[in-house]
Amino acid sequence: MDEIDCLTPQAQVKLLRFLQDGEYRSVGSHQIFRANVRVVAATNADFSCIVRSGKFREDLFYRLNVLALKLPALRERSGDILLLAYDFLEKQAAITGTRPKNLSLVALSRLLSHSWPGNVRELQNVLMRAIVLSDRDSIEASDLDLPDEGFPAEDQSFRTMKSRVVWRFEHDFLASVLRAHKGNITRAAFAAKKNRRAFWELLRKHNLLADFSPIKHGHER
């Protein structure tokens, strides 16, 4: 259930009753059915503020808030931008029965530099527009409906764009795999299928070693 904070007061009462009893009936029917389901609800709002303001029932909030997961904004997990972009391009190509469009290095750099206040939906919208309007096999930066964030002309060479994209990918990937293994370099290197020494050098290159305490490094001994 997306945008759960937008439920009307009447709908909140019905949802609460359903979560408590697990009973429902089809529209126009008097027969009662029982459901065995799990409910996943999402919102962009600060629920604590909404509940305090009286716009959302507190009892329903506690019914839904059994396990809370906070998904960081897209700008805080930029390593996901390229993965999401390519996944969306492939899915759209499958729908239309065409080959997926590529992203030029300059376009990749534009995607990585944008702050994405609209998160994944904004990314999908920008790429959809680019797919529709571009008659080339590759999506260029000019196809992306994004504010001009000022790339100087001299910075748009192939080498510069490639270096920027690769550096960003390496940094975000390394930070992600290291967090997943709680700072254990040996396990992170194994998961990344990299030699431990080479993995450590990459961490040093991206100044990521300082983000993890020596105690965590000591787990490897």
Side-chain angles (χ1 to χ4, degrees):
M1 302 184 69
D2 201 3
E3 308 292 351
I4 191 72
D5 56 295
C6 296
L7 279 179
T8 63
Q10 295 82 0
Q12 291 180 39
V13 172
K14 292 180 180 180
L15 179 59
L16 177 61
R17 186 180 301 123
F18 170 74
L19 293 177
Q20 289 175 335
D21 304 331
E23 296 181 347
Y24 70 97
R25 60 185 176 85
S26 302
V27 176
S29 171
H30 297 290
Q31 185 176 358
I32 302 296
F33 298 94
R34 292 194 63 84
N36 181 16
V37 297
R38 294 180 180 178
V39 176
V40 179
T43 178
N44 290 323
D46 184 341
F47 242 117
S48 58
C49 293
I50 296 177
V51 171
R52 285 198 301 269
S53 67
K55 295 180 180 178
F56 199 88
R57 294 178 63 100
E58 188 174 15
D59 47 4
L60 177 56
F61 168 70
Y62 288 119
R63 278 283 180 180
L64 291 169
N65 195 37
V66 176
L67 176 62
L69 300 176
K70 182 177 180 181
L71 185 64
L74 191 54
R75 62 180 175 274
E76 297 174 20
R77 48 191 175 101
S78 54
D80 290 350
I81 293 174
L82 299 187
L83 298 176
L84 289 167
Y86 282 118
D87 181 68
F88 182 71
L89 292 176
E90 289 179 359
K91 287 180 178 177
Q92 286 302 118
I95 292 173
T96 57
T98 58
R99 294 183 60 184
K101 288 182 179 290
N102 297 315
L103 287 163
S104 72
L105 287 173
V106 181
L108 287 174
S109 187
R110 288 293 301 276
L111 292 178
L112 289 171
S113 65
H114 187 55
S115 60
W116 300 109
N119 292 300
V120 177
R121 287 176 181 170
E122 182 186 3
L123 175 62
Q124 290 179 333
N125 179 270
V126 167
L127 291 174
M128 174 63 80
R129 183 180 185 278
I131 292 171
V132 171
L133 297 183
S134 175
D135 56 2
R136 298 180 293 267
D137 292 333
S138 179
I139 294 175
E140 303 295 333
S142 58
D143 299 320
L144 302 174
D145 186 19
L146 293 172
D148 185 6
E149 288 160 334
F151 288 117
E154 63 269 22
D155 287 342
Q156 295 185 19
S157 67
F158 178 88
R159 176 175 295 188
T160 300
M161 292 297 101
K162 180 180 178 181
S163 176
R164 181 179 295 170
V165 171
V166 170
W167 188 94
R168 188 65 171 268
F169 170 79
E170 283 185 355
H171 179 277
D172 293 340
F173 175 82
L174 292 168
S176 175
V177 73
L178 203 56
R179 281 196 300 270
H181 294 277
K182 297 179 172 58
N184 189 304
I185 296 178
T186 299
R187 293 177 183 173
F190 181 79
K193 294 181 171 57
K194 292 286 291 184
N195 173 273
R196 185 189 181 283
R197 181 64 185 178
F199 189 81
W200 187 89
E201 288 294 342
L202 283 171
L203 295 177
R204 187 166 67 88
K205 169 187 171 184
H206 289 277
N207 297 317
L208 290 171
L209 290 171
D211 294 338
F212 296 88
S213 70
I215 295 177
K216 290 182 179 178
H217 295 167
H219 289 171
E220 300 156 12
R221 302 193 185 101

